[in-house]
Amino acid sequence: MAGESASAAPARSEGLVTVRASINGRTQQLEVDPRATLLDTLREELDLTGTKKGCDRGQCGACTVHVDGRRVVSCLTLTATLDGKKVTTIEGLASDGELHPMQKAFVAHDGFQCGFCTPGQIMSAVACVEEGHADSDDDIREHMSGNICRCSAYPGIRAAITDARKEMR
């Protein structure tokens, strides 16, 4: 194009926001669209695909992760709000190659069938125990009610939580 200077492509950071967060113990600086959800950032930008996309409306719990130790549905959490926060996903739950007690209990009690909801179930289960809401089956049912399992593995999930609770305390 004669007479026109080639305009540079828009900078990647145009319109993006900078977020610095600890994700699974590793501090990361991210340039994200202010509309990006944590779920999409984890899966598409950071390749942390253990967190599952279920309903994408915050109703099924498949995308549950921890932010500063509290469970959140990552499909309704904007990444831009996480500056300075600590995010833990299912990939960050194990330590030194050793499964978290809740992960071990889910395996021992067959707390999964298809496995799709399992990461979100495990993240909610860990929070359920840490929040002190796992003292009875009724308590567990109530505080895990935001996580849907289409295979109905609930008896195994409740047994896993009860078992892991003993080791986590």
Side-chain angles (χ1 to χ4, degrees), residues 20-169:
R20 188 175 167 96
S22 170
I23 300 175
N24 294 333
R26 186 170 156 229
T27 300
Q28 301 203 26
Q29 184 167 312
L30 307 166
E31 299 290 323
V32 297
D33 185 307
R35 301 166 295 175
T37 66
L38 175 58
L39 174 61
D40 289 339
T41 300
L42 292 171
R43 291 184 58 82
E44 297 170 17
E45 299 295 324
L46 301 174
D47 202 27
L48 293 170
T49 58
T51 304
K52 303 301 182 205
K53 183 178 273 195
C55 66
D56 220 14
R57 295 180 181 159
Q59 296 175 336
C60 74
C63 65
T64 302
V65 300
H66 297 171
V67 174
D68 286 345
R70 299 184 59 96
R71 54 182 148 173
V72 301
V73 284
S74 59
C75 70
L76 296 182
T77 302
L78 296 175
T79 305
T81 65
L82 300 175
D83 196 44
K85 305 283 185 180
K86 178 182 170 190
V87 177
T88 305
T89 70
I90 193 71
E91 291 93 342
L93 209 52
S95 176
D96 297 326
E98 180 85 13
L99 292 178
H100 184 278
M102 191 63 73
Q103 292 171 308
K104 290 180 188 174
F106 265 66
V107 172
H109 293 280
D110 199 21
F112 50 87
Q113 287 182 15
C114 81
F116 188 81
C117 71
T118 305
Q121 295 276 2
I122 290 173
M123 296 307 288
S124 279
V126 168
C128 183
V129 171
E130 290 177 349
E131 293 164 0
H133 299 300
D135 290 334
S136 69
D137 276 354
D138 286 345
D139 217 15
I140 292 169
R141 265 193 292 275
E142 174 66 22
H143 291 280
M144 291 294 293
S145 63
N147 288 76
I148 308 297
C149 170
R150 291 175 289 184
C151 303
S152 299
Y154 296 115
I157 292 169
R158 273 195 314 278
I161 293 169
T162 300
D163 191 30
R165 177 189 66 204
K166 298 171 199 162
E167 195 171 329
M168 290 175 60
R169 288 188 174 168

